[in-house]
Amino acid sequence: MDRIGIMLDWAIMQKGIKGDMSYERLPYYVEIGKELGLEPVFFHPRHVLAGEERVQGYFWNGSRLVSRLVPIPRVIHNRVLTGDQKARAVISRLSKKKTVFNGLVVRDKRKVHQMLWKNEHIRKYLPHTVPYSGEQLRQFLDKYQVVYVKPSIGSVGIGVARIERHGSDYHFIASKKRKVMSRPALLAAVRRWVGNKRFLIQRGIPLARYGGKTFDIRVSVQKNRERDWTVSGMVAKVANSKNKLSNLSRGGRAVPFTEAVATLFTPEQQAETIQRISEAAVAIAKQYGRHFSSLADLGMDMGIDEKGNPYLIEVNVRDQRYSFFKAGERAMFKQTYRHPLEYALTLLEEQKLRKKHAAQFLRLHG
C-alpha cells in the first residue's frame, strides 16, 4: 500500500494524538485511503526531521494518532494554514523535493482579486473590490447601498465590518454590534477599525434570502481522479441577524443548498442556478490555478442575487468542509475527502510511470 502524506495544523494534530474530535475527520482519510490502496501518514511541518528525508509520522489506530518514524511520503496533501515562518519554510523546501499539492499560495484577497480580474470571462462574477483608503470608502458609500470593509488576509469573518446606508444615516455592523451614525462619524469609526492593517473595500452583493435572512454558498471545488476541477458539493450558509455574517464560527448556520434555493425558484430555475454556480466556481479555480499549479482543493464563498446570478465573495485555500457536516450533507462531506485522495493517487501513479519509463530508457540506452 502506498503512503500519502496529510499535513495538518498543529492544534488538529494535538487533538488527534489525544483522540479528540476536530473538524478534520481523520477516519475518513483512512477509510477512503484503504479503498484506493493508500495509507495516510499525518504530520505537521515541525515533525519533519533535519535532512528532510524522514518524518515523525502519525497513523490512525481507530481511536487516536500514534507515532512512527517513516520516510516522507512522495505525495503530500497540505492542509496547514499558518503564518509561522519556520513551518512555511519546511513546506517550501518539501515542495521542491516532493509533490505537495495545495502548497503555499498568495492568500492576500486583493492580490487574488487582481489575478482573477485578468481573466475577462470571470469578471462578471467579481464584485467591485479595491484596497482600503478614506477616499475609496467615500466613493463606495456614494455608489452602493451596502459596503464591506474586510482584512486583506483573514478568515472565518474575523475583522469584517458591514456598512449599510439608510437615508442620511449609516449602520456600522461589526463584532455582533450595530451602531447607527452620521457619515463623518462612520468614516472616523472605520479609520479606527482598520488601524494600520491592510484592508479591502468590497461592494455588498444584494444576496438572495432564506427565511428572511441573507445567505451565501460554500462551494467545494477540487481536482478529481481525472485531474479536472470539479464541484464536490455546495451548501447554504445563512447569516446571523446580529452581525449579518454567515460564517459558522460567527453565528451563521448551514442548511442544504437545495433547501434554500427551493424557496426562490422553480425546479428548472434551481437546476440552472446550480449549473451557473458550478461553472463560475470551476472557471475561478482554473484561473487561480494558472498562478499556482499546486492548487487542488478550494472552498469558495459565493453568493447569488434574487435572479440567481453567481458572485464570488472570497476563495479559501483550506476549506474546513465543516459546513457540509453541519447541514447534514454527509455524502458531500465525504466527497470533499475522496476527491483529494483520488487526485493524490493519480500523482503517485504518474510518478511510478515516469520511474518505469526512466528504467526502460536506461536499459535500452545505458
Side-chain angles (χ1 to χ4, degrees):
M1 194 178 273
D2 290 309
R3 285 186 179 145
I4 164 79
I6 310 287
M7 214 155 30
L8 299 174
D9 281 325
W10 186 255
I12 301 293
M13 286 297 304
Q14 297 315 300
K15 281 186 173 181
I17 290 163
K18 288 177 194 164
D20 295 340
M21 288 272 278
S22 68
Y23 65 79
E24 287 279 13
R25 288 293 189 266
L26 305 186
Y28 279 8
Y29 288 108
V30 177
E31 182 191 322
I32 296 163
K34 199 171 277 182
E35 286 175 38
L36 300 173
L38 297 173
E39 182 181 33
V41 182
F42 302 98
F43 63 98
H44 181 272
R46 285 189 214 175
H47 293 128
V48 175
L49 273 61
E52 289 162 359
E53 293 304 328
R54 294 188 304 163
V55 64
Q56 196 65 50
Y58 286 80
F59 295 80
W60 185 250
N61 74 353
S63 57
R64 65 185 185 91
L65 290 175
V66 292
S67 167
R68 199 178 344 144
L69 192 63
V70 292
I72 295 173
R74 296 195 307 278
V75 172
I76 300 164
H77 181 18
N78 178 30
R79 296 280 296 156
V80 175
L81 189 60
T82 180
D84 175 60
Q85 290 310 310
K86 281 185 182 174
R88 289 175 70 83
V90 172
I91 296 168
S92 180
R93 288 196 298 271
L94 280 179
S95 300
K96 292 182 176 79
K97 295 179 177 180
K98 310 288 179 183
T99 302
V100 178
F101 65 92
N102 254 38
L104 300 175
V105 300
V106 166
R107 287 172 50 230
D108 184 307
K109 293 180 176 71
R110 173 61 182 157
K111 288 179 180 169
V112 172
H113 185 271
Q114 286 172 329
M115 286 171 198
L116 298 177
W117 189 260
K118 285 176 184 173
N119 184 336
E120 60 187 35
H121 300 298
I122 59 176
R123 285 180 189 172
K124 61 186 172 186
Y125 307 129
L126 307 178
H128 190 188
T129 305
V130 297
Y132 169 81
S133 73
E135 181 53 38
Q136 289 281 19
L137 180 58
R138 282 189 283 273
Q139 287 179 22
F140 267 60
L141 295 175
D142 289 341
K143 205 169 179 181
Y144 304 119
Q145 185 79 32
V146 176
V147 172
Y148 281 93
V149 177
K150 54 169 74 172
S152 269
I153 295 180
S155 57
V156 297
I158 295 166
V160 176
R162 176 182 167 101
I163 301 162
E164 298 172 0
R165 189 175 73 228
H166 295 268
S168 59
D169 287 337
Y170 291 88
H171 292 216
F172 182 63
I173 305 159
S175 301
K176 296 189 181 178
K177 291 175 186 165
R178 179 189 285 259
K179 293 176 185 171
V180 181
M181 50 183 73
S182 66
R183 184 158 168 144
L186 171 81
L187 293 170
V190 175
R191 226 178 7 254
R192 286 193 301 273
W193 181 257
V194 169
N196 58 5
K197 296 193 176 80
R198 277 187 305 166
F199 270 67
L200 294 177
I201 309 169
Q202 189 172 70
R203 175 203 170 195
I205 303 305
L207 292 172
R209 291 173 181 267
Y210 170 73
K213 294 174 182 174
T214 57
F215 70 89
D216 59 36
I217 308 138
R218 172 52 61 90
V219 186
S220 174
V221 199
Q222 301 172 313
K223 283 190 177 174
N224 59 15
R225 194 187 283 254
E226 287 74 40
R227 301 198 198 182
D228 295 325
W229 284 106
T230 187
V231 171
S232 300
M234 52 181 81
V235 64
K237 296 184 297 158
V238 184
N240 173 338
S241 53
K242 285 184 183 171
N243 60 11
K244 299 288 183 83
L245 290 173
S246 62
N247 308 76
L248 302 195
S249 61
R250 314 291 285 168
R253 68 188 178 94
V255 299
F257 180 58
T258 48
E259 189 181 305
V261 85
T263 63
L264 298 168
F265 306 118
T266 65
E268 195 179 308
Q269 289 169 328
Q270 289 168 43
E272 194 182 311
T273 301
I274 289 168
Q275 180 66 24
R276 283 158 84 187
I277 294 164
S278 298
E279 283 173 6
V282 167
I284 290 162
K286 282 180 179 173
Q287 177 63 14
Y288 197 4
R290 285 188 186 109
H291 294 268
F292 300 101
S293 58
S294 82
L295 280 177
D297 182 10
L298 299 170
M300 292 184 196
D301 287 325
M302 300 187 75
I304 52 168
D305 61 20
E306 286 171 352
K307 292 178 182 171
N309 296 312
Y311 296 91
L312 176 71
I313 297 168
E314 62 185 55
V315 184
N316 301 280
V317 290
R318 300 288 177 274
D319 184 4
Q320 291 184 358
R321 307 165 175 162
Y322 206 52
S323 41
F324 295 100
F325 177 77
K326 284 288 193 182
E329 295 281 26
R330 301 300 166 91
M332 284 183 191
F333 185 49
K334 210 162 187 181
Q335 185 85 302
T336 65
Y337 284 81
R338 178 175 295 280
H339 278 148
L341 287 177
E342 287 181 349
Y343 178 65
L345 181 63
T346 71
L347 295 175
L348 275 166
E349 285 168 348
E350 183 192 45
Q351 285 183 0
K352 284 180 186 173
L353 203 60
R354 277 209 306 261
K355 212 171 176 181
K356 187 181 169 186
H357 287 159
Q360 285 173 344
F361 182 84
L362 278 174
R363 273 201 307 274
L364 291 169
H365 306 282

